[in-house]
Amino acid sequence: DAGVTQSPTHLIKTRGQQVTLRCSPKSGHDTVSWYQQALGQGPQFIFQYYEEEERQRGNFPDRFSGHQFPNYSSELNVNALLLGDSALYLCASSDRKFGQETQYFGPGTRLLVL
Amino acid sequence: AQSVTQPDIHITVSEGASLELRCNYSYGATPYLFWYVQSPGQGLQLLLKYFSGDTLVQGIKGFEAEFKRSQSSFNLRKPSVHWSDAAEYFCAVGAEDYKLSFGAGTTVTVRA
């Protein structure tokens, strides 16, 4: 049973560019959440997708957007990259059908903005 | 809104010694509580979780945690630490809105 997968593993961009990160949830999971983890800090919630809609959003600007596909996979897009966007981006999947669910995390995508 | 405090930034423990990591949460209703572990350069692995019921929960790798509502705490313990337990540990609280709020983490160093 494959767990949560993310691609790419590492990415280097320059300021002002745009980036797309991808996530495939654990088999049987229908909900995908995205988190940003800056160096030395705990993960911060960006947003969550369920039934192809953004359901919850954390305190992140509109430069951060996402999408969920019918197969439950998800993308995180960040426009107009800033140096401060350098971080580990974590995707977590869960099964919402049974109420409060446990989130399982992927290995993350390390983004460096120069 | 919910929040988590992990008072200890860094803990050093000898191999074979016991370990306790502190976690205090703030949330108005019954919280859902989690402990995750992160090895360098890796994602987060779930150690254990508390939703309801027995306040002492068992997890993987020999870890356990105790939920104490009166103290708003969910401390993680392991009786005997192995060198492979060196990692960063995160406590998280979830609520009905399904998002997780994490603490800043505690780095555990294991000395031989």
Side-chain angles (χ1 to χ4, degrees), chain B residues 21-48:
Chain B
L21 304 181
R22 296 183 290 165
C23 171
N24 294 101
Y25 68 89
S26 174
Y27 183 60
T30 299
Y32 306 110
L33 295 161
F34 307 83
W35 275 99
Y36 288 87
V37 62
Q38 185 176 39
S39 298
Q42 304 294 313
L44 301 176
Q45 181 183 22
L46 178 69
L47 285 176
L48 48 77

Side-chain angles (χ1 to χ4, degrees), chain A residues 33 35 37 40-43 45 48 56-58 88 90 96 99-108 110, chain B residues 32 34 36 38 41-46 49 51 88 90 94-105:
Chain A
S33 302
Y35 293 80
Q37 186 179 19
Q41 297 182 22
F45 175 78
Q48 184 179 83
Q56 293 288 337
R57 189 176 184 92
L88 180 68
L90 295 164
R96 183 177 272 224
Q100 176 56 247
E101 76 285 13
T102 301
Q103 296 186 19
Y104 294 89
F105 285 80
R110 176 77 62 186
Chain B
Y32 306 110
F34 307 83
Y36 288 87
Q38 185 176 39
Q42 304 294 313
L44 301 176
Q45 181 183 22
L46 178 69
K49 59 188 178 184
F51 283 1
E88 186 146 24
F90 292 96
E96 283 76 18
D97 60 5
Y98 299 95
K99 73 178 188 181
L100 293 180
S101 296
F102 285 84

Side-chain angles (χ1 to χ4, degrees), chain A residues 11-72:
Chain A
L11 207 51
I12 300 175
K13 293 287 189 178
T14 56
R15 281 177 297 175
Q17 285 189 312
Q18 178 264 344
V19 68
T20 297
L21 310 182
R22 296 175 177 82
C23 172
S24 291
K26 187 177 168 66
S27 178
H29 285 185
D30 57 6
T31 302
V32 173
S33 302
W34 287 92
Y35 293 80
Q36 180 195 67
Q37 186 179 19
L39 200 60
Q41 297 182 22
Q44 299 291 316
F45 175 78
I46 303 174
F47 43 52
Q48 184 179 83
Y49 278 83
Y50 172 65
E51 292 185 333
E52 301 180 48
E53 289 190 17
E54 183 182 297
R55 299 292 179 167
Q56 293 288 337
R57 189 176 184 92
N59 189 25
F60 280 81
D62 292 345
R63 298 187 297 109
F64 289 76
S65 63
H67 188 77
Q68 185 179 34
F69 299 93
N71 67 353
Y72 307 122

